Amino acid sequence: QAFEFVKDRMLKIVNTKFGSGRLVLIGGIQINLPYPEFVDHFLPLMFEIRQEGRDPKDLMDRFTNLSIQQDLKRSPWAAAGAEREVFSWLTWSPPAITQEYKTLHRYFPGALPGQAVHGRVARILAGYGFDESTLLGTSFCPDEINNESDSLSVLMQDYWGEVFPMGGISGTPFSGKTGFAAFSSHVADDGNILVAFGPHVGISAGGEVGKCLREGQAKESTACGAVVGAYNACLCGTPSTDSTDSYDMQMDFCKRQIAPHAEAISKTENPLASLAHQSYQMVEETMFAVVNNDFGSGYLCLLGGIQINMPNPMEDHFYPCTFELRKA
């Protein structure tokens, strides 16, 4: 009844006499849930577009999706599909009928939109005392497609604050032990550290792994270009160099790490998907060799996975492989 009262007053106040544009009205009941366990909910009761000289357009049906209204007692296998349908409905993930969807969930099963990963991680860590004093470090490839608004690293920085970038090409933490020592020395007394890391891989609009269409370009290019380049060099027998005179030390490292696995990767069903998973192992092993808990009594949280660059307008996804807490 309170909503009807507010709606009645609102409809008497607004009009479309401001010009040729549209007026959007979203009405409902705000539901305050216990914090911090849950986020507030909203019960939508009105969603319509109005324009001068035209009949109002009711959009309330956009808040329902019959394809996910399934009886999970009768078909429990539908639970995962329902979750994915919700993400698709939110325009975060590709629809189930697309090739991008099939590729994403075949080669990266369990991948989630960056927003979903970030929200879940933040909620869980709040229970362990991770607050505004938390120190954030990231180790992702510096490719600009990993620094867009829907990328996990950007979402985390917006939430946690300033970030210490540890990664070079491929996402490997080339800042090394010295970099982590410098970074961890900045932590607050009894504070916590959160480090997110991993390589990245593109999925094109046609569902091809290892490809993405960059803004302003007419043709797709590789992602991660450095990892794919190192892999191709290994297949061609192009050696890396251990010379201290090298001006391509990060690429040389990637070649050395990928070389023992290149032939096996080339024989898999989807070599570039396999390459992404092998690249994660490379980044994880290096990260585990770099970090420590010598900074104090707080937690070190390690969140590792594969950043998946999806075609617009879908949001980037993250395939979580590591999520753990360490303490001295």
Side-chain angles (χ1 to χ4, degrees):
Q1 188 61 45
F3 170 75
E4 293 300 328
F5 172 79
V6 175
K7 175 183 174 182
D8 177 69
R9 295 300 185 271
M10 179 60 71
L11 294 182
K12 290 179 179 178
I13 291 172
V14 302
N15 61 67
T16 53
K17 300 186 183 300
F18 51 82
S20 59
R22 296 178 177 86
L23 170 67
V24 178
L25 296 171
I26 303 177
I29 299 173
Q30 178 82 4
I31 304 171
N32 308 116
L33 291 174
Y35 181 84
E37 291 82 6
F38 308 102
V39 297
D40 284 356
H41 281 49
F42 187 77
L43 175 64
L45 298 171
M46 177 183 184
F47 183 24
E48 66 178 46
I49 294 180
R50 298 185 175 194
Q51 192 171 17
E52 188 68 14
R54 298 188 180 185
D55 293 333
K57 186 174 182 179
D58 189 350
L59 300 177
M60 272 299 294
D61 62 339
R62 304 302 196 276
F63 285 118
T64 59
N65 187 342
L66 295 179
S67 68
I68 65 171
Q69 307 305 312
Q70 305 180 59
D71 183 354
L72 299 184
K73 292 182 179 180
R74 293 180 179 272
S75 53
W77 60 86
E83 175 188 82
R84 295 171 186 173
E85 287 290 343
V86 170
F87 291 147
S88 175
W89 175 67
L90 291 169
T91 69
W92 294 356
S93 297
I97 60 173
T98 64
Q99 188 59 49
E100 300 99 297
Y101 175 96
K102 296 174 183 177
T103 297
L104 175 67
H105 294 295
R106 178 171 182 80
Y107 299 113
F108 306 97
L112 298 165
Q115 288 200 57
V117 175
H118 163 63
R120 185 63 175 157
V121 167
R123 288 284 166 181
I124 292 172
L125 293 184
Y128 291 91
F130 283 70
D131 55 22
E132 64 276 359
S133 69
T134 297
L135 201 58
L136 173 66
T138 60
S139 190
F140 295 108
C141 181
D143 192 321
E144 68 277 2
I145 60 175
N146 293 327
N147 291 285
E148 298 180 354
S149 60
D150 58 356
S151 298
L152 180 61
S153 60
V154 175
L155 294 169
M156 295 179 74
Q157 184 177 356
D158 289 344
Y159 182 84
W160 296 105
E162 296 180 351
V163 63
F164 188 99
M166 303 169 62
I169 60 174
S170 78
T172 302
F174 288 111
S175 60
K177 293 183 178 181
T178 301
F180 184 77
F183 161 56
S184 60
S185 70
H186 305 158
V187 71
D189 292 342
D190 302 319
N192 302 309
I193 292 178
L194 168 59
V195 176
F197 62 92
H200 74 112
V201 64
I203 294 180
S204 72
E208 184 177 359
V209 178
K211 291 292 184 70
C212 72
L213 183 63
R214 299 171 188 275
E215 186 175 355
Q217 294 188 346
K219 295 183 178 180
E220 295 171 349
S221 57
T222 55
C224 172
V227 169
V228 173
Y231 167 69
N232 288 333
C234 292
L235 290 180
C236 295
T238 304
S240 61
T241 176
D242 293 320
S243 172
T244 56
D245 295 331
S246 172
Y247 288 94
D248 211 4
M249 290 182 289
Q250 294 188 13
M251 188 61 160
D252 288 337
F253 176 88
C254 293
K255 290 179 184 178
R256 289 195 300 271
Q257 297 298 311
I258 293 172
H261 311 283
E263 184 178 356
I265 289 172
S266 70
K267 296 177 180 178
T268 60
E269 175 187 332
N270 191 311
L272 292 190
S274 299
L275 178 62
H277 288 279
Q278 184 60 48
S279 298
Y280 173 76
Q281 295 301 319
M282 173 182 71
V283 176
E284 181 192 77
E285 289 173 9
T286 309
M287 179 60 73
F288 284 5
V290 164
V291 300
N292 59 65
N293 286 88
D294 298 340
F295 55 85
S297 61
Y299 284 107
L300 168 65
C301 177
L302 297 173
L303 173 65
I306 301 172
Q307 175 86 359
I308 305 170
N309 309 116
M310 300 295 294
N312 287 329
M314 288 167 278
E315 299 197 359
D316 282 355
H317 282 51
F318 188 77
Y319 175 69
C321 301
T322 299
F323 184 33
E324 63 181 47
L325 289 171
R326 300 183 178 188
K327 202 168 188 179

